[in-house]
Amino acid sequence: MTSPGPVTRDLLETFDDVRSRIFARLDGLTDTEYLWEPVASCMTLRADENGVFRADPRPAGDVRPAPFTTIAWRIWHIGADCLRGYGRFFEDESPSGDRHLWPGTATEGVQTLANDWSRFRARVEFLGDDRLLQPMGPRAGAYAHESYLLLALHALDEAAHHGAELGVLRDLYFHGFTAEQGMRGDEASTTT
């Protein structure tokens, strides 16, 4: 393969930097942490009657405040919902399977995220500078006029900000956070 052009090179370096930080924060993730629900009614992964895990769907509309999520849900969101889901915009890739299916263990979830990340990164690298700067076309529906570069930047934004949230959730877990500790003083006094 030839060396990537400057746009592709810089984009891939940024993908690699974001990936490195996220996966460093996920190192040693346990199954307990993965599915830890720091507050009531978290969006998470749930096993069905056959033991198959699925991510909770996002609520319809603009729900405020947004539901709190588990580490597992955030990992699913970055991997399947974003990076794998954006595969539908690539010309030679057809949508496949139920993106809400996701592993119920930390090790498998992190590995699946790594696989989704590698696949998306390879798709971006394959496009090269010229195609990155062109519109995605009819396959992208309402986003047909947007460039693949904009899609890749959006994927980076999703990965970076949700990756930061993963770090915060791990920090809360390590420090023994409980929902009661998170209440403001006036709220806590009315519940005791």
Side-chain angles (χ1 to χ4, degrees):
M1 179 170 210
T2 61
S3 295
V7 174
T8 305
R9 181 196 62 232
D10 291 350
L11 187 58
L12 294 177
E13 283 180 13
T14 306
F15 261 96
D16 294 343
D17 288 345
V18 170
R19 184 192 188 287
S20 175
R21 287 190 307 247
I22 289 173
F23 282 82
R25 287 307 309 257
L26 293 175
D27 187 46
L29 182 68
T30 67
D31 291 346
T32 301
E33 276 182 277
Y34 183 65
L35 295 170
W36 174 59
E37 295 189 35
V39 300
S41 302
C42 279
M43 288 177 54
T44 190
L45 305 179
R46 300 186 196 282
D48 65 16
E49 62 279 352
N50 298 317
V52 175
F53 282 82
R54 294 177 53 78
D56 288 337
R58 286 178 291 206
D62 187 21
V63 177
R64 297 287 173 193
F68 209 88
T69 68
T70 62
I71 291 172
W73 194 93
R74 285 283 172 214
I75 291 172
W76 163 81
H77 179 64
I78 296 168
D81 204 23
C82 297
L83 298 174
R84 189 184 319 154
Y86 298 160
R88 70 188 182 275
F89 296 119
F90 293 100
E91 295 158 352
D92 62 345
E93 192 166 319
S94 57
S96 60
D98 181 349
R99 283 196 330 264
H100 283 87
L101 295 175
W102 195 259
T105 67
T107 300
E108 291 173 307
V110 170
Q111 183 57 57
T112 303
L113 172 60
N115 296 343
D116 288 336
W117 194 290
S118 293
R119 181 169 178 76
F120 187 83
R121 186 194 183 284
R123 297 298 300 144
V124 169
E125 184 174 19
F126 178 78
L127 291 172
D129 282 10
D130 290 340
R131 188 66 181 109
L132 272 171
L133 298 173
Q134 294 174 13
M136 291 185 285
R139 181 173 186 93
Y143 305 105
H145 64 286
E146 303 291 357
S147 70
Y148 278 104
L149 178 59
L150 189 58
L151 174 68
L153 291 172
H154 180 69
L156 269 172
D157 175 62
E158 286 288 315
H161 83 263
H162 291 306
E165 293 165 344
L166 290 171
V168 170
L169 285 168
R170 288 206 78 190
D171 289 344
L172 289 171
Y173 183 85
F174 288 141
H175 291 281
F177 173 84
T178 64
E180 291 76 27
Q181 291 171 325
M183 288 186 202
R184 293 189 317 260
D186 58 333
E187 292 173 341
S189 65
T190 62
T191 60
T192 56

